[in-house]
Amino acid sequence: MTAGRPTELRTPSPTEPRTPSPAESRTPSPGESRTPSTAESRTPSPSGARPPSPTEAAARRLLDLLAAGAPGEELAAQAARARAAGAAPGDVAWIEETTGVALAVRRVLDQYRRREAELVALYDTAGDLAGLRDLDAVLRAIVRRARTLLGSDVAYLTLNDPVAQDTFMRVTEGSVSAAFQQLRLGMGEGLGGLVAQTARPYASTDYRTDHRYRHTGPIDDGVAEEGLRGILGVPLRLGEEIIGVLFAADRTPREFTPDAIALLASLADHAAVAIDSARRLDETRTALARLEAANATARAHSEALHLASDAHDRLSKLVLRGAGTDEVAAEIAVLLGGGVAVHDTDGSELARIGTEPVTPAAASLAASRTEGRAVRADGVWTCAVLAGAEPLGSIVLTGRDDLSEADRRLFERSALVTAMLLLVRRSVAETEDRVRGELLDDLLAGPASSAHWDPDSLALRARRLGVDLARPHAVAVVDCEPALRSRLAAEAGRVARRRGGLAGSRRGRTVLLVPCDEAGPLADALAAGLARGVGAPVTVGTAGPGSGPGRHAALHAEALRCLTALHALGRTGEGADVAALGFVGVLLGDRADITAYVDRVLGPVLAYDAERGTELVRTLYAYYDQGASLARAKDALHVHVNTVVQRLDRVAQLLGPDWNAPDSALEIHLALRLHRLSRGTSGPVTDGHV
C-alpha cells in the first residue's frame, strides 16, 4: 500500500513576484464601489486612526482563532460570515484564500503536535522497557504499549524460530481467540510471515480480501475467529538479524498512515533492544547457575576423598585469589608429579608446565567428554574441561604411566577447577569486552548522535578502563570471511587489550581503537597478526591517528571507506590506510564528492542505461578489464563482437568521438572504478556487477 505524500505548503520568497488574488485582479464595474487595497488601507485618514477594513478584520480573526487552537470548522466559517455581513465579492474571495492558508497552517500545527505526542510516548516507552529485566514482562509491555500508541483493537508479537523456519505467536493484547493465540506462520505465509521473511513492514486495509498475501487455511481461520480486518506488521530488527514481528490490528477495515507505520517501527526498534537485553540477562543468569553447579559438584566430590578435598582447596584458593592459568597448571603438576598442559576448545595452548608441547588426541578428548572421566592413550592422560555439557577446553598430564584411583579423581577434579577458572575468565572477559564495546560505540557515534554527548564523560570512562584518549589513536575496521567473524572479534578484543585500546562491533564490522603514531604500519601489523590468530586472511582499513573523543567518529567513517576500497580494488587480505590507496585514497581521505565526479564523466551513459535498460556501463567495464580488446570483451560479456562494437558506438555518441583517446580513457576508466567502489561491488563484470 502506497501512502500519498502530505500536501507541501509553499511561501513565496521576498524576491519572487506575487500573483494577484482574484479580488486584487478584478476590475470593479462602473456602478460598484471599489474596496481599498492593502496599501491604501494603511494610509491614515485626515482625522487620524481609521477602523480596520473587512479583510484586515477577517485576517485578525483568523490569526486569533489559530492562536486559540480553534477547530477547522470555525476557521472555515469566516468567509461565510463575511458574505453574510455584506462584504464585497473581492473581499470575500480574499478571505476565502486567506482561510485556505490558515487551514493549511492549522494542519501543519496539528501534525507537529501529533508528532510531539508520539515522540513523548516513545520516550516513555524506552524508559519503561529499560527498567524491565524479565523477558515475559518486556514482551507484554511492548505489546501493551503498541496497542495504546496506535489505538488498535488488538496488538500482538511473534518471535522467529530459526530451527522450524517460522514465526510463532508469543504475546497478544486484546485477543479473545485461542486458535489465533497459537498460530505459527511459515516464512512468507500471510502478512506476518512476509514481514519476517523480507524484514519490511507491510499493512493491509482489509486482510480478508487482500490477495497480495499468501493465504493459508490455519492463518485465515485464526484471523477470522479473532475478527481482524486491518493489520499492520513491522519487523523486530537487531542489527542485521530479524528476531520477530510486532503487529497492530483492528476488527474493522483500517488504512494505516505512514505516520502510524513509522510509529510502530520506532517502537519495534526499542523493543528489539529491550528483548536482546532481557535475553542477555537470562544468559548471564544461566551462566552463573552453571558456575554455581560446577562449584557444588566440585565441593561434593572433594568431600568424598580427603586427599582430593585438600588438593581441591589448594587449587580453588589459587582461582579465588585471581591466579592465572599458568599458576593453576603449575599447582596441578606439583600435586600429580607430572607435566601439565591446558588447551582451549580450539586446541590452542593456554598453559604448559614440565612437558614438551603436546596436543590432546581427538579420540581421547571425545571419549573423555562422553564418559566424563580422564582417558589414557599413548602414555598421556587427557581430561575434558567442561561446564555442564559445554566444552571449555582440555587438560593433559604427561610423565605418569599409571594413576591411582585417588590421583585419577584428583586429576579429574583439577579439570573442574580449571573449568571454574576458564568460566570466571570468560565471564570477566565478556563483561569487560561489553563495557569496552559500549564505550567504543559511544565514541564512534560522535557528537551528532546525541545532544547529550559528553566528551569529558567519555574520557573519564576510558581512563577507568586504562585508555588515555588524550593520546593519538587510530581507528581500524577489520573483516574476514563470514564464518570466522566471531573468532575475529574475539581475537581483535585480545589485540586491543594488549595494545591498550578498545575493540567492539559496529554495523556488523569489528572495529579497534588503538593508540599509535602512524595508521599505515598499524594496518599492516593488524592484518598479519589477526590473520595468524584467525587462520585466514584479514582485511584492515585504518585512519588517523587523532586525539580527543570528537575525532573518532570521522576516523571510523574514513577507515570504513578504506576497507570498502580495499575490497573493491581486489586487495582483500591486506591492510592499508587511505594514503596507501593512491588516487582512490586521496579521494577518500579528502572526502571528495565521488558521485559528482562519476556523474560528470559517465552521466550520459548512466542515464542512458537507466532510461532504456541497456548495458553500456557493463560493456565499458568489460572493454577496459579485457585490455581494450573487442574479442576478449565479447567473450566476457557472452555476446557477439558486433554487439560490443554497436554499444561502444553508442558510447561515442554519448561521450563524444574522443572518448577513447588516452586522456579521456583514463578519466572514464577512473570513473568506472569509482562507480564500482561507490556501489560497494568488486566482482567481475561477468557476474552482472555494474
Side-chain angles (χ1 to χ4, degrees):
M1 179 180 68
T2 303
R5 296 182 58 188
T7 302
E8 181 179 0
L9 298 179
R10 181 175 177 272
T11 304
S13 66
T15 59
E16 182 179 350
R18 178 176 174 270
T19 302
S21 68
E24 295 169 340
S25 61
R26 189 175 65 85
T27 302
S29 61
E32 182 180 359
S33 62
R34 180 176 174 271
T35 301
S37 65
T38 303
E40 294 169 342
S41 64
R42 290 198 188 101
T43 304
S45 63
S47 60
R50 61 168 180 80
S53 68
T55 56
E56 291 174 334
R60 176 57 186 266
R61 282 196 299 274
L62 287 172
L63 289 175
D64 290 341
L65 290 172
L66 277 176
E73 294 81 0
E74 184 69 19
L75 294 172
Q78 295 308 306
R81 291 178 180 175
R83 189 181 295 107
D91 291 341
V92 173
W94 186 90
I95 293 172
E96 287 177 344
E97 180 182 353
T98 306
T99 300
V101 175
L103 288 172
V105 172
R106 171 59 188 269
R107 286 192 294 272
V108 172
L109 292 175
D110 288 344
Q111 186 179 19
Y112 286 162
R113 293 189 185 101
R114 185 172 62 256
R115 291 283 179 83
E116 181 181 6
E118 291 173 354
L119 289 175
V120 170
L122 283 175
Y123 180 81
D124 293 342
T125 298
D128 293 344
L129 294 179
L132 298 176
R133 293 294 180 265
D134 179 66
L135 180 58
D136 288 337
V138 169
L139 297 179
R140 287 193 298 271
I142 291 166
V143 173
R144 187 179 306 113
R145 187 56 64 94
R147 184 186 181 195
T148 302
L149 288 179
L150 270 76
S152 61
D153 296 331
V154 181
Y156 49 102
L157 181 146
T158 66
L159 293 180
N160 288 4
D161 186 341
V163 177
Q165 290 296 304
D166 64 5
T167 185
F168 62 93
M169 198 72 68
R170 183 68 169 78
V171 178
T172 63
E173 177 76 14
S175 171
V176 295
S177 168
F180 180 77
Q181 296 168 12
Q182 297 172 5
L183 276 179
R184 297 186 76 98
L185 293 75
M187 293 297 174
E189 294 180 356
L191 186 147
L194 188 61
V195 175
Q197 182 184 57
T198 63
R200 296 178 178 177
Y202 283 94
S204 176
T205 303
D206 190 346
Y207 179 77
R208 298 183 186 180
T209 60
D210 197 337
H211 300 292
R212 296 177 299 164
Y213 305 101
R214 192 198 309 170
H215 288 256
T216 65
I219 297 176
D220 286 353
D221 292 343
V223 171
E225 184 173 320
E226 189 63 55
L228 299 183
R229 305 290 292 274
I231 302 176
L232 167 63
V234 297
L236 290 168
R237 189 191 304 272
L238 194 62
E240 297 298 324
E241 180 187 5
I242 304 303
I243 63 175
V245 182
L246 181 62
F247 298 86
D250 274 4
R251 295 189 172 91
T252 56
R254 174 177 176 179
E255 183 171 348
F256 291 93
T257 64
D259 287 344
I261 297 173
L263 177 60
L264 192 62
S266 298
L267 179 60
D269 291 340
H270 288 301
V273 174
I275 291 172
D276 182 59
S277 299
R279 282 179 171 176
R280 290 183 182 275
L281 185 60
D282 286 344
E283 292 173 359
T284 302
R285 290 170 177 165
T286 301
L288 291 174
R290 288 179 177 176
L291 181 58
E292 292 174 0
N295 285 331
T297 302
R299 286 193 298 270
H301 280 279
S302 67
E303 292 171 359
L305 293 172
H306 181 71
L307 180 61
S309 176
D310 181 63
H312 179 269
D313 290 342
R314 293 169 59 183
L315 293 173
S316 297
K317 289 178 181 178
L318 286 176
V319 176
L320 293 175
R321 69 176 175 82
T325 312
D326 289 339
E327 294 179 74
V328 173
E331 186 67 23
I332 296 172
V334 170
L335 290 171
L336 295 174
V340 173
V342 180
H343 298 86
D344 204 347
T345 51
D346 59 359
S348 58
E349 185 179 282
L350 299 178
R352 177 166 52 87
I353 301 296
T355 182
E356 295 297 321
V358 57
T359 302
S364 299
L365 187 56
S368 177
R369 288 174 180 170
T370 302
E371 300 173 9
R373 302 206 65 189
V375 175
R376 182 176 182 272
D378 300 327
V380 175
W381 288 89
T382 302
C383 188
V385 178
L386 305 171
E390 180 185 2
L392 299 178
S394 62
I395 183 169
V396 174
L397 177 65
T398 62
R400 292 290 302 268
D401 294 335
D402 195 9
L403 289 177
S404 64
E405 186 63 23
D407 284 347
R408 183 172 177 174
R409 288 180 178 274
L410 175 59
F411 183 46
E412 292 166 357
R413 281 158 178 76
S414 299
L416 289 174
V417 175
T418 304
M420 291 172 52
L421 174 63
L422 296 182
L423 276 174
V424 171
R425 286 185 55 188
R426 186 175 72 176
S427 178
V428 171
E430 288 176 350
T431 302
E432 182 178 350
D433 287 346
R434 184 164 59 250
V435 173
R436 287 174 171 269
E438 291 172 352
L439 172 60
L440 178 61
D441 195 59
D442 290 343
L443 287 170
L444 298 184
S449 64
S450 172
H452 304 291
W453 195 84
D454 185 0
D456 295 334
S457 175
L458 293 172
L460 177 60
R461 289 166 58 190
R463 284 197 297 272
R464 291 172 178 170
L465 295 174
V467 178
D468 182 8
L469 296 181
R471 295 178 56 190
H473 283 70
V475 175
V477 183
V478 302
D479 190 25
C480 67
E481 58 184 89
L484 298 175
R485 284 176 181 168
S486 60
R487 186 170 176 181
L488 174 63
E491 186 67 23
R494 286 193 286 268
V495 170
R497 286 193 296 272
R498 187 170 64 248
R499 288 176 172 264
L502 302 171
S505 178
R506 184 167 178 82
R507 298 175 184 172
R509 303 282 190 182
T510 299
V511 183
L512 295 89
L513 181 67
V514 180
C516 74
D517 296 322
E518 295 185 53
L522 174 67
D524 294 333
L526 288 177
L530 292 174
R532 286 193 300 270
V534 174
V538 175
T539 309
V540 181
T542 59
S547 301
R551 293 288 310 281
H552 300 141
L555 294 180
H556 171 254
E558 184 173 314
L560 185 59
R561 291 196 298 270
C562 183
L563 177 70
T564 304
L566 287 171
H567 285 308
L569 296 174
R571 295 175 59 178
T572 298
E574 299 183 23
D577 61 353
V578 291
L581 296 180
F583 63 87
V584 175
V586 173
L587 290 173
L588 295 177
D590 291 342
R591 294 161 178 80
D593 191 350
I594 296 175
T595 302
Y597 177 82
V598 172
D599 286 342
R600 180 174 64 81
V601 178
L602 292 176
V605 178
L606 293 170
Y608 192 93
D609 277 354
E611 182 178 351
R612 294 171 174 80
T614 54
E615 295 186 334
L616 299 184
V617 173
R618 184 165 176 255
T619 302
L620 282 173
Y621 274 131
Y623 179 70
Y624 284 113
D625 287 347
Q626 301 301 323
S629 169
L630 295 174
R632 290 198 296 271
K634 63 97 175 173
D635 291 336
L637 294 168
H638 305 294
V639 298
H640 194 274
V641 67
N642 290 340
T643 302
V644 179
V645 172
Q646 292 170 3
R647 292 178 180 177
L648 294 181
D649 287 342
R650 178 63 66 184
V651 170
Q653 295 175 14
L654 295 170
L655 300 182
D658 296 333
W659 72 274
N660 210 17
D663 291 342
S664 299
L666 176 61
E667 286 275 313
I668 294 172
H669 202 177
L670 171 59
L672 286 169
R673 285 183 173 271
L674 292 176
H675 178 57
R676 179 184 299 178
L677 174 63
S678 65
R679 292 169 62 92
T681 58
S682 58
V685 297
T686 52
D687 291 339
H689 292 294
V690 188

